[in-house]
Amino acid sequence: MNTDNATSTTATRRDVLVETALDLFYRDGFHATGIDKVLAEAGVAKMTLYKHFRSKDELIVAALRLHDQRFRDWFVDAVESRARKPRKRLLAIFTVLAEWMSSDEFRGCAFAKAAAEYGDPSNPIHLAGAEHKRRLLDYIRDTAKAAGARSPGKFAMNLMLLVEGAIATAQVTGDRDAADHARKAAKVLLADAIR
């Protein structure tokens, strides 16, 4: 027996499990999605779940980490492909958000949903959501610093609030123009922060 193939098959089953869980959790909710549904949709046995994860909560954390990496990679690439200069990238954030919000896949922020469903700030699922937000804030702060913002941390927090507000508004009200509205407010902030 080739151990490389066995390892590859095991990793593939784990990957399929995490991918399927991510899709279902994002679409249907974390508490509302039972583990049996995830296993059935992934086409894996319960033994596969417990070989890789001790609990559904660990599977949720793995799914959120995968989503965090993919979302940030996509987001940063999308922002940076639309604008070369850091100042313009700060506004391109809202162009990228608008594109995401108008897609069929948009169902709001998976990380905010996770933090809401697991409200204890020390819960690993809540922490995974908070970590994603921190990383996004770091990107905005670093971009603001490169753009010459006087107070990059303060500016980044203000911009992050516009980002979060646009996402929540689009999710709750269905207003797919929320990112465009937020971009207008961001222009005002930008003019004040970078002269």
Side-chain angles (χ1 to χ4, degrees):
M1 181 171 154
N2 184 335
T3 56
D4 290 340
N5 285 343
T7 303
S8 175
T9 301
T10 303
T12 301
R13 285 189 187 137
R14 181 192 184 280
D15 293 345
V16 168
L17 180 60
V18 174
E19 292 266 358
T20 303
L22 175 57
D23 290 344
L24 292 172
F25 293 147
Y26 183 53
R27 186 186 75 201
D28 300 333
F30 296 92
H31 287 304
T33 303
I35 202 65
D36 289 336
K37 182 172 185 174
V38 173
L39 295 173
E41 296 246 350
V44 299
K46 198 170 266 192
M47 189 172 82
T48 301
L49 169 71
Y50 291 114
K51 180 177 183 176
H52 299 288
F53 306 102
R54 288 178 294 181
S55 65
K56 178 183 172 184
D57 285 4
E58 283 190 5
L59 176 60
I60 292 171
V61 170
L64 288 172
R65 286 184 178 145
L66 174 64
H67 188 51
D68 169 59
Q69 187 62 55
R70 284 184 178 167
F71 184 88
R72 283 185 302 108
D73 287 349
W74 166 79
F75 185 77
V76 170
D77 287 347
V79 168
E80 294 184 359
S81 72
R82 281 160 184 78
R84 287 183 152 185
K85 296 185 178 188
R87 181 183 178 122
K88 291 188 184 263
R89 285 178 177 167
L90 293 168
L91 293 177
I93 286 170
F94 298 95
T95 302
V96 172
L97 286 178
E99 291 170 8
W100 174 44
M101 290 174 188
S102 64
S103 73
D104 291 338
E105 292 83 32
F106 179 75
R107 288 186 168 78
C109 178
F111 305 99
K113 289 179 179 184
E117 287 195 43
Y118 295 86
D120 178 356
S122 66
N123 183 293
I125 295 168
H126 190 101
L127 290 169
E131 181 65 14
H132 168 77
K133 298 300 182 184
R134 185 194 60 74
R135 288 178 175 155
L136 213 53
L137 181 62
D138 288 347
Y139 171 71
I140 295 170
R141 185 198 64 239
D142 292 346
T143 305
K145 186 175 181 180
R150 286 190 311 276
S151 300
K154 181 180 174 184
F155 174 78
M157 181 54 77
N158 289 335
L159 211 65
M160 187 71 169
L161 291 172
L162 291 175
V163 167
E164 293 299 315
I167 295 169
T169 298
Q171 177 186 352
V172 174
T173 69
D175 180 0
R176 299 301 168 108
D177 294 326
D180 295 328
H181 303 306
R183 182 187 300 109
K184 290 174 186 168
K187 284 181 181 180
V188 174
L189 291 174
L190 195 56
D192 183 55
I194 304 170
R195 295 179 190 217

mmCIF file of all heavy atoms in Angstrom, residues 45-75:
data_model
loop_
_atom_site.group_PDB
_atom_site.id
_atom_site.type_symbol
_atom_site.label_atom_id
_atom_site.label_comp_id
_atom_site.label_asym_id
_atom_site.label_seq_id
_atom_site.Cartn_x
_atom_site.Cartn_y
_atom_site.Cartn_z
ATOM 1 N N ALA A 45 -18.095 9.429 6.278
ATOM 2 C CA ALA A 45 -18.620 8.767 7.467
ATOM 3 C C ALA A 45 -18.316 9.589 8.717
ATOM 4 O O ALA A 45 -17.394 10.419 8.727
ATOM 5 C CB ALA A 45 -18.002 7.379 7.599
ATOM 6 N N LYS A 46 -19.082 9.334 9.760
ATOM 7 C CA LYS A 46 -18.862 10.014 11.033
ATOM 8 C C LYS A 46 -17.453 9.757 11.548
ATOM 9 O O LYS A 46 -16.845 10.619 12.178
ATOM 10 C CB LYS A 46 -19.916 9.566 12.048
ATOM 11 C CG LYS A 46 -20.055 10.509 13.224
ATOM 12 C CD LYS A 46 -21.253 10.173 14.083
ATOM 13 C CE LYS A 46 -22.427 11.001 13.626
ATOM 14 N NZ LYS A 46 -23.557 10.971 14.561
ATOM 15 N N MET A 47 -16.925 8.584 11.238
ATOM 16 C CA MET A 47 -15.570 8.246 11.663
ATOM 17 C C MET A 47 -14.557 9.238 11.064
ATOM 18 O O MET A 47 -13.590 9.613 11.731
ATOM 19 C CB MET A 47 -15.230 6.816 11.228
ATOM 20 C CG MET A 47 -13.933 6.296 11.792
ATOM 21 S SD MET A 47 -13.713 4.544 11.429
ATOM 22 C CE MET A 47 -13.077 4.642 9.767
ATOM 23 N N THR A 48 -14.790 9.683 9.835
ATOM 24 C CA THR A 48 -13.904 10.663 9.209
ATOM 25 C C THR A 48 -13.933 11.977 9.975
ATOM 26 O O THR A 48 -12.894 12.603 10.198
ATOM 27 C CB THR A 48 -14.311 10.901 7.742
ATOM 28 O OG1 THR A 48 -14.242 9.659 7.042
ATOM 29 C CG2 THR A 48 -13.411 11.918 7.071
ATOM 30 N N LEU A 49 -15.130 12.384 10.391
ATOM 31 C CA LEU A 49 -15.250 13.615 11.188
ATOM 32 C C LEU A 49 -14.401 13.502 12.443
ATOM 33 O O LEU A 49 -13.574 14.373 12.721
ATOM 34 C CB LEU A 49 -16.714 13.871 11.571
ATOM 35 C CG LEU A 49 -16.928 14.971 12.609
ATOM 36 C CD1 LEU A 49 -16.644 16.343 12.021
ATOM 37 C CD2 LEU A 49 -18.340 14.913 13.162
ATOM 38 N N TYR A 50 -14.588 12.423 13.186
ATOM 39 C CA TYR A 50 -13.913 12.308 14.476
ATOM 40 C C TYR A 50 -12.435 11.942 14.347
ATOM 41 O O TYR A 50 -11.683 12.074 15.307
ATOM 42 C CB TYR A 50 -14.679 11.347 15.384
ATOM 43 C CG TYR A 50 -15.999 11.956 15.778
ATOM 44 C CD1 TYR A 50 -17.207 11.408 15.364
ATOM 45 C CD2 TYR A 50 -16.044 13.137 16.521
ATOM 46 C CE1 TYR A 50 -18.415 11.993 15.697
ATOM 47 C CE2 TYR A 50 -17.248 13.731 16.853
ATOM 48 C CZ TYR A 50 -18.426 13.165 16.440
ATOM 49 O OH TYR A 50 -19.621 13.761 16.768
ATOM 50 N N LYS A 51 -12.018 11.531 13.167
ATOM 51 C CA LYS A 51 -10.593 11.308 12.931
ATOM 52 C C LYS A 51 -9.860 12.652 12.871
ATOM 53 O O LYS A 51 -8.706 12.752 13.266
ATOM 54 C CB LYS A 51 -10.408 10.551 11.616
ATOM 55 C CG LYS A 51 -8.972 10.257 11.273
ATOM 56 C CD LYS A 51 -8.888 9.437 10.007
ATOM 57 C CE LYS A 51 -7.446 9.081 9.711
ATOM 58 N NZ LYS A 51 -7.324 8.222 8.547
ATOM 59 N N HIS A 52 -10.560 13.685 12.383
ATOM 60 C CA HIS A 52 -9.933 14.989 12.185
ATOM 61 C C HIS A 52 -10.362 16.047 13.203
ATOM 62 O O HIS A 52 -9.614 16.992 13.447
ATOM 63 C CB HIS A 52 -10.236 15.509 10.779
ATOM 64 C CG HIS A 52 -9.699 14.613 9.708
ATOM 65 N ND1 HIS A 52 -8.354 14.514 9.428
ATOM 66 C CD2 HIS A 52 -10.330 13.755 8.872
ATOM 67 C CE1 HIS A 52 -8.189 13.646 8.450
ATOM 68 N NE2 HIS A 52 -9.358 13.169 8.091
ATOM 69 N N PHE A 53 -11.545 15.885 13.758
ATOM 70 C CA PHE A 53 -12.096 16.899 14.670
ATOM 71 C C PHE A 53 -12.744 16.213 15.861
ATOM 72 O O PHE A 53 -13.423 15.200 15.710
ATOM 73 C CB PHE A 53 -13.142 17.759 13.937
ATOM 74 C CG PHE A 53 -12.622 18.369 12.674
ATOM 75 C CD1 PHE A 53 -12.940 17.830 11.442
ATOM 76 C CD2 PHE A 53 -11.785 19.477 12.718
ATOM 77 C CE1 PHE A 53 -12.451 18.374 10.270
ATOM 78 C CE2 PHE A 53 -11.288 20.029 11.548
ATOM 79 C CZ PHE A 53 -11.622 19.481 10.318
ATOM 80 N N ARG A 54 -12.538 16.804 17.027
ATOM 81 C CA ARG A 54 -13.137 16.225 18.230
ATOM 82 C C ARG A 54 -14.613 16.586 18.382
ATOM 83 O O ARG A 54 -15.341 15.949 19.128
ATOM 84 C CB ARG A 54 -12.375 16.676 19.473
ATOM 85 C CG ARG A 54 -11.006 16.028 19.599
ATOM 86 C CD ARG A 54 -10.268 16.523 20.801
ATOM 87 N NE ARG A 54 -9.965 17.951 20.601
ATOM 88 C CZ ARG A 54 -9.308 18.702 21.444
ATOM 89 N NH1 ARG A 54 -8.874 18.185 22.572
ATOM 90 N NH2 ARG A 54 -9.059 19.959 21.182
ATOM 91 N N SER A 55 -15.038 17.635 17.664
ATOM 92 C CA SER A 55 -16.411 18.099 17.830
ATOM 93 C C SER A 55 -16.846 18.919 16.624
ATOM 94 O O SER A 55 -16.021 19.308 15.789
ATOM 95 C CB SER A 55 -16.512 18.975 19.085
ATOM 96 O OG SER A 55 -15.728 20.158 18.902
ATOM 97 N N LYS A 56 -18.117 19.201 16.567
ATOM 98 C CA LYS A 56 -18.652 20.090 15.536
ATOM 99 C C LYS A 56 -18.015 21.470 15.665
ATOM 100 O O LYS A 56 -17.718 22.119 14.652
ATOM 101 C CB LYS A 56 -20.173 20.198 15.675
ATOM 102 C CG LYS A 56 -20.821 21.145 14.684
ATOM 103 C CD LYS A 56 -22.326 21.263 14.915
ATOM 104 C CE LYS A 56 -22.941 22.347 14.054
ATOM 105 N NZ LYS A 56 -24.377 22.531 14.337
ATOM 106 N N ASP A 57 -17.790 21.918 16.888
ATOM 107 C CA ASP A 57 -17.175 23.233 17.092
ATOM 108 C C ASP A 57 -15.789 23.317 16.437
ATOM 109 O O ASP A 57 -15.438 24.331 15.840
ATOM 110 C CB ASP A 57 -17.068 23.567 18.582
ATOM 111 C CG ASP A 57 -18.409 23.955 19.191
ATOM 112 O OD1 ASP A 57 -19.436 23.885 18.482
ATOM 113 O OD2 ASP A 57 -18.428 24.326 20.371
ATOM 114 N N GLU A 58 -14.999 22.252 16.541
ATOM 115 C CA GLU A 58 -13.684 22.250 15.898
ATOM 116 C C GLU A 58 -13.815 22.297 14.375
ATOM 117 O O GLU A 58 -13.010 22.938 13.700
ATOM 118 C CB GLU A 58 -12.866 21.029 16.322
ATOM 119 C CG GLU A 58 -12.275 21.164 17.696
ATOM 120 C CD GLU A 58 -11.264 20.059 18.019
ATOM 121 O OE1 GLU A 58 -10.939 19.230 17.121
ATOM 122 O OE2 GLU A 58 -10.797 20.033 19.164
ATOM 123 N N LEU A 59 -14.831 21.638 13.846
ATOM 124 C CA LEU A 59 -15.088 21.677 12.407
ATOM 125 C C LEU A 59 -15.477 23.102 11.985
ATOM 126 O O LEU A 59 -15.022 23.597 10.955
ATOM 127 C CB LEU A 59 -16.190 20.684 12.026
ATOM 128 C CG LEU A 59 -16.633 20.690 10.561
ATOM 129 C CD1 LEU A 59 -15.467 20.358 9.634
ATOM 130 C CD2 LEU A 59 -17.787 19.701 10.370
ATOM 131 N N ILE A 60 -16.281 23.760 12.803
ATOM 132 C CA ILE A 60 -16.671 25.141 12.506
ATOM 133 C C ILE A 60 -15.442 26.043 12.479
ATOM 134 O O ILE A 60 -15.278 26.866 11.568
ATOM 135 C CB ILE A 60 -17.707 25.658 13.527
ATOM 136 C CG1 ILE A 60 -19.041 24.920 13.354
ATOM 137 C CG2 ILE A 60 -17.900 27.171 13.395
ATOM 138 C CD1 ILE A 60 -20.058 25.202 14.452
ATOM 139 N N VAL A 61 -14.558 25.896 13.452
ATOM 140 C CA VAL A 61 -13.338 26.716 13.486
ATOM 141 C C VAL A 61 -12.500 26.458 12.238
ATOM 142 O O VAL A 61 -12.000 27.404 11.604
ATOM 143 C CB VAL A 61 -12.523 26.461 14.776
ATOM 144 C CG1 VAL A 61 -11.154 27.115 14.694
ATOM 145 C CG2 VAL A 61 -13.291 26.980 15.993
ATOM 146 N N ALA A 62 -12.363 25.209 11.830
ATOM 147 C CA ALA A 62 -11.597 24.886 10.617
ATOM 148 C C ALA A 62 -12.239 25.513 9.386
ATOM 149 O O ALA A 62 -11.547 26.048 8.512
ATOM 150 C CB ALA A 62 -11.482 23.373 10.455
ATOM 151 N N ALA A 63 -13.556 25.467 9.316
ATOM 152 C CA ALA A 63 -14.272 26.064 8.183
ATOM 153 C C ALA A 63 -14.074 27.580 8.165
ATOM 154 O O ALA A 63 -13.853 28.173 7.102
ATOM 155 C CB ALA A 63 -15.756 25.710 8.255
ATOM 156 N N LEU A 64 -14.132 28.208 9.321
ATOM 157 C CA LEU A 64 -13.930 29.661 9.392
ATOM 158 C C LEU A 64 -12.497 30.039 9.023
ATOM 159 O O LEU A 64 -12.280 31.059 8.348
ATOM 160 C CB LEU A 64 -14.279 30.185 10.784
ATOM 161 C CG LEU A 64 -15.764 30.209 11.126
ATOM 162 C CD1 LEU A 64 -15.973 30.557 12.589
ATOM 163 C CD2 LEU A 64 -16.525 31.179 10.227
ATOM 164 N N ARG A 65 -11.539 29.253 9.427
ATOM 165 C CA ARG A 65 -10.134 29.547 9.066
ATOM 166 C C ARG A 65 -9.925 29.439 7.557
ATOM 167 O O ARG A 65 -9.229 30.254 6.958
ATOM 168 C CB ARG A 65 -9.187 28.626 9.821
ATOM 169 C CG ARG A 65 -9.065 28.995 11.278
ATOM 170 C CD ARG A 65 -8.056 28.155 12.010
ATOM 171 N NE ARG A 65 -7.957 28.599 13.385
ATOM 172 C CZ ARG A 65 -7.736 27.790 14.409
ATOM 173 N NH1 ARG A 65 -7.555 26.503 14.212
ATOM 174 N NH2 ARG A 65 -7.666 28.280 15.633
ATOM 175 N N LEU A 66 -10.540 28.418 6.963
ATOM 176 C CA LEU A 66 -10.457 28.275 5.510
ATOM 177 C C LEU A 66 -11.103 29.486 4.829
ATOM 178 O O LEU A 66 -10.536 30.068 3.903
ATOM 179 C CB LEU A 66 -11.153 26.979 5.066
ATOM 180 C CG LEU A 66 -11.263 26.768 3.560
ATOM 181 C CD1 LEU A 66 -9.875 26.620 2.927
ATOM 182 C CD2 LEU A 66 -12.137 25.549 3.263
ATOM 183 N N HIS A 67 -12.266 29.864 5.308
ATOM 184 C CA HIS A 67 -12.971 31.008 4.720
ATOM 185 C C HIS A 67 -12.183 32.301 4.920
ATOM 186 O O HIS A 67 -12.119 33.135 4.016
ATOM 187 C CB HIS A 67 -14.375 31.116 5.324
ATOM 188 C CG HIS A 67 -15.239 32.121 4.655
ATOM 189 N ND1 HIS A 67 -15.436 32.159 3.297
ATOM 190 C CD2 HIS A 67 -15.970 33.147 5.157
ATOM 191 C CE1 HIS A 67 -16.253 33.151 2.980
ATOM 192 N NE2 HIS A 67 -16.579 33.770 4.098
ATOM 193 N N ASP A 68 -11.578 32.455 6.081
ATOM 194 C CA ASP A 68 -10.767 33.643 6.351
ATOM 195 C C ASP A 68 -9.643 33.759 5.330
ATOM 196 O O ASP A 68 -9.457 34.813 4.719
ATOM 197 C CB ASP A 68 -10.187 33.573 7.771
ATOM 198 C CG ASP A 68 -9.119 34.629 8.016
ATOM 199 O OD1 ASP A 68 -9.417 35.829 7.889
ATOM 200 O OD2 ASP A 68 -7.968 34.240 8.316
ATOM 201 N N GLN A 69 -8.918 32.682 5.131
ATOM 202 C CA GLN A 69 -7.786 32.719 4.196
ATOM 203 C C GLN A 69 -8.263 33.023 2.785
ATOM 204 O O GLN A 69 -7.700 33.878 2.106
ATOM 205 C CB GLN A 69 -7.023 31.397 4.231
ATOM 206 C CG GLN A 69 -5.746 31.430 3.410
ATOM 207 C CD GLN A 69 -4.760 32.468 3.931
ATOM 208 O OE1 GLN A 69 -4.396 32.462 5.087
ATOM 209 N NE2 GLN A 69 -4.331 33.376 3.066
ATOM 210 N N ARG A 70 -9.289 32.325 2.353
ATOM 211 C CA ARG A 70 -9.799 32.536 0.995
ATOM 212 C C ARG A 70 -10.360 33.946 0.808
ATOM 213 O O ARG A 70 -10.104 34.580 -0.208
ATOM 214 C CB ARG A 70 -10.902 31.530 0.686
ATOM 215 C CG ARG A 70 -10.382 30.168 0.404
ATOM 216 C CD ARG A 70 -11.508 29.280 0.011
ATOM 217 N NE ARG A 70 -11.019 27.971 -0.307
ATOM 218 C CZ ARG A 70 -11.797 26.925 -0.439
ATOM 219 N NH1 ARG A 70 -13.096 27.036 -0.279
ATOM 220 N NH2 ARG A 70 -11.281 25.757 -0.736
ATOM 221 N N PHE A 71 -11.147 34.400 1.776
ATOM 222 C CA PHE A 71 -11.764 35.719 1.637
ATOM 223 C C PHE A 71 -10.702 36.804 1.599
ATOM 224 O O PHE A 71 -10.733 37.682 0.744
ATOM 225 C CB PHE A 71 -12.760 35.983 2.773
ATOM 226 C CG PHE A 71 -13.481 37.288 2.609
ATOM 227 C CD1 PHE A 71 -14.650 37.362 1.871
ATOM 228 C CD2 PHE A 71 -12.974 38.459 3.170
ATOM 229 C CE1 PHE A 71 -15.315 38.570 1.686
ATOM 230 C CE2 PHE A 71 -13.626 39.677 2.995
ATOM 231 C CZ PHE A 71 -14.806 39.721 2.254
ATOM 232 N N ARG A 72 -9.744 36.753 2.523
ATOM 233 C CA ARG A 72 -8.712 37.802 2.554
ATOM 234 C C ARG A 72 -7.851 37.769 1.302
ATOM 235 O O ARG A 72 -7.515 38.812 0.747
ATOM 236 C CB ARG A 72 -7.854 37.687 3.812
ATOM 237 C CG ARG A 72 -8.555 38.216 5.051
ATOM 238 C CD ARG A 72 -7.668 38.210 6.287
ATOM 239 N NE ARG A 72 -7.154 36.893 6.608
ATOM 240 C CZ ARG A 72 -5.891 36.509 6.446
ATOM 241 N NH1 ARG A 72 -4.984 37.348 5.989
ATOM 242 N NH2 ARG A 72 -5.508 35.284 6.764
ATOM 243 N N ASP A 73 -7.488 36.567 0.838
ATOM 244 C CA ASP A 73 -6.706 36.475 -0.403
ATOM 245 C C ASP A 73 -7.471 37.112 -1.557
ATOM 246 O O ASP A 73 -6.921 37.907 -2.326
ATOM 247 C CB ASP A 73 -6.371 35.018 -0.740
ATOM 248 C CG ASP A 73 -5.315 34.414 0.167
ATOM 249 O OD1 ASP A 73 -4.670 35.163 0.938
ATOM 250 O OD2 ASP A 73 -5.140 33.180 0.111
ATOM 251 N N TRP A 74 -8.740 36.742 -1.680
ATOM 252 C CA TRP A 74 -9.568 37.295 -2.746
ATOM 253 C C TRP A 74 -9.711 38.810 -2.587
ATOM 254 O O TRP A 74 -9.530 39.564 -3.545
ATOM 255 C CB TRP A 74 -10.953 36.644 -2.747
ATOM 256 C CG TRP A 74 -11.927 37.411 -3.580
ATOM 257 C CD1 TRP A 74 -12.041 37.393 -4.937
ATOM 258 C CD2 TRP A 74 -12.894 38.358 -3.107
ATOM 259 N NE1 TRP A 74 -13.028 38.272 -5.340
ATOM 260 C CE2 TRP A 74 -13.565 38.876 -4.230
ATOM 261 C CE3 TRP A 74 -13.250 38.823 -1.832
ATOM 262 C CZ2 TRP A 74 -14.575 39.825 -4.127
ATOM 263 C CZ3 TRP A 74 -14.258 39.762 -1.737
ATOM 264 C CH2 TRP A 74 -14.913 40.257 -2.876
ATOM 265 N N PHE A 75 -10.022 39.250 -1.387
ATOM 266 C CA PHE A 75 -10.289 40.659 -1.125
ATOM 267 C C PHE A 75 -9.065 41.522 -1.427
ATOM 268 O O PHE A 75 -9.152 42.511 -2.163
ATOM 269 C CB PHE A 75 -10.725 40.818 0.335
ATOM 270 C CG PHE A 75 -11.137 42.204 0.712
ATOM 271 C CD1 PHE A 75 -12.366 42.701 0.336
ATOM 272 C CD2 PHE A 75 -10.291 43.022 1.454
ATOM 273 C CE1 PHE A 75 -12.759 43.989 0.679
ATOM 274 C CE2 PHE A 75 -10.671 44.301 1.807
ATOM 275 C CZ PHE A 75 -11.909 44.782 1.423
#
